[in-house]
Amino acid sequence: MSDPAYLRFFPYEEPYPNQREAMDRVANALSRGQDVLFEGAPGTGKTLSALVPALEHAREHDRTVVITTNVHQQMRQFVEDARAITRTEPIRAVVFKGKSSMCHIDVDYQECQTLRDTTRSLVEAEADKGELERRQRELLAESRDGDAAAAEAREVVMEELDDLDEEIAEIDATNVCDHYYNNLTRDTDAFFEWLFEDVRTPEDVYEYAEERDLCGYELLKEGMEGVDLVVCNYHHLLDPTIREQFFRWIDRDPSEIITVFDEAHNVEDAAREHATRTLTENTLESALEEIDGSDDSRAEAAENVVSAFHEALVETYDSALGFGERESIGDRWEDVSIANEDRRDDLTLAFLDRYAGRGIDVEAELAVQLGRAFDEEYDRQYREGETTSRKESGTLQAARFIATWMDEGAEFGQYPVVSVRRNETTDEVYGRAELYTCIPRTVTSELFEEVAASVLMSATLRPFDVTADVLGLEDVASLAYELAYPASNRVTYAVDTPPLFASDRSDPEVQGTIGELLRDAIRFTPGNTLVFFPSYSEAERYYERLRSGIDGRSEPDRAGPLGTLLLDGSSVETETLRRRLVDGDDCTLFTSLWGTLAEGVSFDDDAARTVIVVGVPYPHLSDRMEAVQAAYDRAFAEGSGTRDPGWTYAVEVPTVRKTRQALGRVIRGPDDFGARILADRRYTGADMGKYSVRDRFPPEERSELIDIAPEKVKFGILNFFTDHDAYDGDPPSP
């Protein structure tokens, strides 16, 4: 039996275990026009399992594969895989990033668009001038031969040339982009030959273009037409406006696109982020300044709407802040409660109370029109060189947001929020209104409906029915492959420590139990240890506890049986910290499950031998989370198979996924081995009611969980690592 056609895109000698079967199943699903939900443990070879059959399908049906991730390390892996594929079966591949990371003159999108327009106008005018000069030379030659009509025609051409000279002088005095000008006026064939000789990164393109004073971003866009493969970030697909342009650059109809999402458990949050809309108090004030300086007939209507919303926003957060709370506000956005169970939110009520115009709908539309007029004027000023930067209209932003706030919020499942933070420059507190998107499928379902097919892959995508419901996937093929490496190379303990509910985390007895468990696990691990907590503050608590020697045992950074202790935090340079761990020996990293090291980062072999998850990392139970739960309860009340879909979909499933991601940082290859510890009674078989999470793990992972008392962990770890001959010399004494 001959090999399937898709194997021509497989760049290595032999597939991993299960990889051949996974490619078959993905290929069959794509042939049926189905979307694919694909969960595979580390070592499954998920990327090539999806990419290889997708490329074959695209080649057969004249389509383009777009593979996307929100993890930088994975994008680098995609590039490596694509380069390997080109050695086997040449493909035309483009790796794309946003303009901000590739611009040579550092301007925003609107400025760039204006610069492109004026630069193109200049080049077109110069081309017209060249054509007219050629024509006038021909007419001059004819007139010298006695052709009177040619002489008259030449006079007309010369007048047109004079007009063009004036036009060119005017454009040349405005803002143009020299890099883009060179794109339009030079032969760039060499760039495209270079681009497709290999798989080039955006950094490669930037460097090539910088050396030649070209705009690499615009050249890359030109080179995307009809390519086989595009590697990009999530926002190119999840933002509807960007997606429309992106597909146009590829020169493909959405039905000619196959999307592959890596780390797809993140799509839910990423889609929610892209759909969320915000309006700050500063933008409202900018809008009022614009309006105040205008004599446009629509200014009064715009002022009625914008000023009332501005006053309502200030009144709302002022009323919500209790005694002393304003003084404690920092430079990060903090939500204030505006929700009401029996009526509309406080901001909307305050806005309706403050507004005294002729009708919000009518005047908001007039404000949008006025904002567009401002925006067009700012564009003209920048295009003609009257300003050095392209200004944005605060009126347009404010009016559009207010109209959406009043008309569309409920329809699109968006939850109204008010937040505050402190301006570091002025030390003043200011506010922000936000429409927070509760149900991601309002964003994603349109994407998945319009493309030919999608493959969503992750090591933690189950339960598949929840993923399909939340993202709006209809006709789905699902496949899951568990960890294929020897079971003897890992041990997973569910430790019966007190449940770390928020109310119990400050209990000295609870802290003592957790501290002793961590001390034992770290001391008996022959190498590096990763410890994940529900927050950075909890990580710091236990870092300080072990470092300062609470319970009478001092553990300085580089001495004693606990080795080197490293603390992560929101302001810490992650890559530097990761390198210290990977390059170190006998180190322990204390970090948050919600940080960047909990997923997408491998700690192979000696880089980490033990991973510990302390507590159950429930998301912060805020008004937002309650709104999401309520929205999920309404959306999935029927057909979800659970009595409490809000809690299950919005809290429990994402929490277990986060835990599983952290556990997956170790055991990254067939010869790798390590211990995995879940420290919280809720992971054990004990009956914790609604808060038990053990049953949310996939069956094969659940079967590996060994319930154990905290004081027994050191013996379990000692035996496991002794069996693997992991200790350098005699093991520690229990």
Side-chain angles (χ1 to χ4, degrees):
M1 183 175 178
S2 62
D3 287 333
Y6 61 70
L7 282 182
R8 61 178 165 158
F9 292 102
F10 188 77
Y12 305 116
E13 187 172 344
E14 285 293 332
Y16 289 136
N18 299 323
Q19 197 173 34
R20 175 66 177 268
E21 179 188 339
M23 287 188 283
D24 276 339
R25 294 178 65 183
V26 171
N28 290 336
L30 294 177
S31 69
R32 295 191 297 267
Q34 289 181 295
D35 296 321
V36 180
L37 294 177
F38 177 15
E39 178 174 298
T44 308
K46 293 185 294 295
T47 300
L48 288 176
S49 295
L51 188 54
V52 165
L55 285 171
E56 173 60 30
H57 179 89
R59 180 71 61 86
E60 182 181 352
H61 295 86
D62 190 23
R63 291 171 174 170
T64 292
V65 177
V66 178
I67 187 167
T68 179
T69 183
N70 67 337
V71 179
H72 293 304
Q73 181 168 306
Q74 287 302 109
M75 183 168 281
R76 291 194 293 270
Q77 183 61 50
F78 292 164
V79 172
E80 290 179 13
D81 287 337
R83 284 174 173 165
I85 290 171
T86 60
R87 310 290 187 268
T88 302
E89 178 73 19
I91 59 173
R92 297 171 73 245
V94 169
V95 185
F96 199 77
K97 281 188 178 179
K99 191 199 74 64
S100 60
S101 63
M102 296 187 67
C103 183
H104 302 267
I105 58 175
D106 192 24
V107 295
D108 64 23
Y109 181 80
Q110 281 297 119
E111 287 183 86
C112 180
Q113 188 174 41
T114 302
L115 286 172
R116 288 199 308 270
D117 291 344
T118 53
T119 304
R120 192 179 297 108
S121 296
L122 175 61
V123 171
E124 289 172 355
E126 289 177 342
D128 290 344
K129 179 181 176 181
E131 180 63 25
L132 286 175
E133 285 179 336
R134 182 191 63 78
R135 179 58 179 155
Q136 74 87 12
R137 287 192 296 270
E138 292 175 352
L139 292 171
L140 177 61
E142 293 173 10
S143 64
R144 285 174 175 170
D145 291 336
D147 188 335
E152 291 180 7
R154 181 174 179 273
E155 289 181 9
V156 174
V157 170
M158 293 302 294
E159 290 176 3
E160 292 177 0
L161 275 171
D162 289 341
D163 292 340
L164 262 181
D165 282 335
E166 291 181 11
E167 180 183 341
I168 290 171
E170 289 177 2
I171 298 174
D172 212 17
T174 66
N175 291 305
V176 296
C177 176
D178 293 335
H179 290 80
Y180 186 52
Y181 179 89
N182 293 334
N183 283 16
L184 298 176
T185 56
R186 293 181 185 173
D187 183 353
T188 56
D189 288 348
F191 168 80
F192 297 108
E193 291 176 9
W194 168 84
L195 180 66
F196 294 118
E197 284 174 356
D198 201 344
V199 180
R200 310 295 186 181
T201 67
E203 292 75 20
D204 295 335
V205 173
Y206 181 94
E207 183 179 347
Y208 180 101
E210 181 72 8
E211 291 174 355
R212 296 161 178 79
D213 292 325
L214 299 168
C215 176
Y217 178 74
E218 291 297 326
L219 285 173
L220 193 59
K221 283 165 52 178
E222 290 179 35
M224 290 171 64
E225 291 187 11
V227 295
D228 301 297
L229 174 66
V230 182
V231 180
C232 66
N233 296 316
Y234 273 6
H235 69 268
H236 291 107
L237 295 179
L238 295 180
D239 186 301
T241 302
I242 296 175
R243 181 169 72 242
E244 182 180 352
Q245 294 176 329
F246 188 62
F247 288 171
R248 189 163 59 246
W249 296 335
I250 303 173
D251 195 28
R252 294 290 196 189
D253 186 80
S255 62
E256 299 172 321
I257 299 286
I258 300 168
T259 63
V260 180
F261 282 86
D262 183 58
E263 302 294 349
H265 62 279
N266 289 322
V267 171
E268 177 180 354
D269 286 340
R272 184 175 287 123
E273 179 183 337
H274 278 87
T276 294
R277 308 175 190 186
T278 61
L279 176 67
T280 68
E281 186 178 339
N282 293 345
T283 301
L284 286 163
E285 291 171 352
S286 171
L288 290 171
E289 289 179 8
E290 274 184 334
I291 295 166
D292 186 55
S294 173
D295 58 2
D296 191 288
S297 61
R298 296 165 291 192
E300 181 181 355
E303 200 276 338
N304 288 340
V305 172
V306 176
S307 64
F309 200 85
H310 175 259
E311 292 169 6
L313 176 60
V314 174
E315 175 189 319
T316 300
Y317 71 71
D318 273 343
S319 300
L321 293 175
F323 178 76
E325 289 183 350
R326 178 181 287 269
E327 289 70 27
S328 66
I329 293 170
D331 59 358
R332 295 188 177 186
W333 289 111
E334 301 175 29
D335 290 353
V336 297
S337 181
I338 65 169
N340 297 296
E341 291 184 4
D342 57 344
R343 61 190 190 280
R344 299 191 72 170
D345 63 274
D346 291 342
L347 176 53
T348 301
L349 293 175
F351 177 46
L352 294 172
D353 184 59
R354 291 273 183 174
Y355 177 74
R358 295 168 292 171
I360 293 174
D361 290 348
V362 173
E363 294 199 322
E365 175 56 31
L366 291 172
V368 169
Q369 294 175 15
L370 179 62
R372 289 199 187 103
F374 287 141
D375 201 58
E376 291 169 2
E377 174 60 15
Y378 296 148
D379 187 71
R380 183 199 64 77
Q381 291 172 357
Y382 181 63
R383 188 172 59 250
E384 296 182 3
E386 296 178 18
T387 57
T388 57
S389 62
R390 208 302 193 166
K391 189 176 178 181
E392 300 293 319
S393 171
T395 302
L396 183 58
Q397 295 176 54
R400 282 174 169 168
F401 180 88
I402 294 168
T404 301
W405 181 279
M406 297 303 294
D407 294 340
E408 298 181 11
E411 179 184 347
F412 288 95
Q414 292 176 313
Y415 179 70
V417 179
V418 168
S419 307
V420 291
R421 77 174 178 185
R422 189 173 301 279
N423 186 311
E424 290 183 311
T425 303
T426 65
D427 201 40
E428 295 292 325
V429 171
Y430 68 106
R432 177 183 73 179
E434 177 181 349
L435 282 170
Y436 178 70
T437 299
C438 293
I439 302 180
R441 71 179 184 187
T442 59
V443 178
T444 56
S445 59
E446 180 182 353
L447 164 65
F448 295 132
E449 287 171 5
E450 68 180 11
V451 298
S454 296
V455 181
L456 290 83
M457 58 187 185
S458 168
T460 56
L461 207 54
R462 287 180 284 179
F464 291 134
D465 59 338
V466 173
T467 300
D469 281 350
V470 168
L471 299 182
L473 294 160
E474 297 294 338
D475 186 9
V476 173
S478 57
L479 51 152
Y481 295 95
E482 60 187 272
L483 200 60
Y485 308 137
S488 59
N489 282 0
R490 60 188 182 271
V491 64
T492 310
Y493 291 122
V495 187
D496 190 21
T497 57
L500 280 182
F501 294 114
S503 58
D504 298 324
R505 290 174 188 168
S506 298
D507 186 324
E509 186 174 342
V510 171
Q511 291 180 19
T513 301
I514 298 297
E516 276 301 305
L517 168 65
L518 295 178
R519 185 183 301 278
D520 287 345
I522 293 167
R523 193 161 72 88
F524 284 90
T525 294
N528 295 340
T529 303
L530 298 170
V531 192
F532 292 99
F533 297 85
S535 67
Y536 285 124
S537 61
E538 284 293 291
E540 184 176 10
R541 183 202 298 276
Y542 287 97
Y543 166 82
E544 293 294 346
R545 185 180 185 92
L546 269 63
R547 183 172 180 268
S548 61
I550 291 177
D551 303 326
R553 283 169 288 183
S554 177
E555 302 293 351
D557 270 6
R558 293 189 177 274
L562 299 191
T564 303
L565 306 184
L566 305 173
L567 178 64
D568 192 11
S570 57
S571 60
V572 174
E573 169 50 50
T574 301
E575 180 56 23
T576 301
L577 191 66
R578 189 189 71 83
R579 290 292 348 153
R580 285 190 65 190
L581 179 74
V582 171
D583 294 339
D585 182 27
D586 203 18
C587 297
T588 299
L589 173 64
F590 294 71
T591 187
S592 169
L593 277 153
W594 300 99
T596 56
L597 293 173
E599 60 178 88
V601 181
S602 295
F603 295 93
D604 303 335
D605 301 317
D606 291 336
R609 285 298 179 198
T610 294
V611 57
I612 308 170
V613 175
V614 179
V616 178
Y618 288 126
H620 179 56
L621 299 181
S622 61
D623 285 351
R624 291 172 188 254
M625 184 51 62
E626 290 181 5
V628 172
Q629 289 185 64
Y632 280 4
D633 278 334
R634 291 191 299 270
F636 307 121
E638 297 180 7
S640 67
T642 177
R643 291 180 298 175
D644 194 356
W647 173 262
T648 301
Y649 284 29
V651 178
E652 202 170 45
V653 168
T655 295
V656 172
R657 282 178 179 157
K658 183 63 66 176
T659 302
R660 295 175 63 212
Q661 281 287 329
L663 292 181
R665 295 315 93 208
V666 298
I667 320 294
R668 308 294 293 186
D671 299 320
D672 201 356
F673 60 90
R676 306 183 297 183
I677 298 172
L678 297 169
D680 193 298
R681 185 167 297 143
R682 289 169 286 183
Y683 292 115
T684 72
D687 183 7
M688 298 294 294
K690 173 182 179 180
Y691 299 103
S692 292
V693 296
R694 190 186 189 104
D695 287 346
R696 283 296 167 194
F697 285 78
E700 72 278 4
E701 294 181 19
R702 190 164 62 241
S703 68
E704 292 191 18
L705 294 177
I706 302 171
D707 288 358
I708 192 171
E711 64 272 16
K712 300 294 185 182
V713 169
K714 59 185 175 184
F715 299 105
I717 293 180
L718 173 63
N719 292 334
F720 174 79
F721 285 118
T722 298
D723 289 344
H724 285 81
D725 196 23
Y727 294 108
D728 185 11
D730 293 333
S733 173

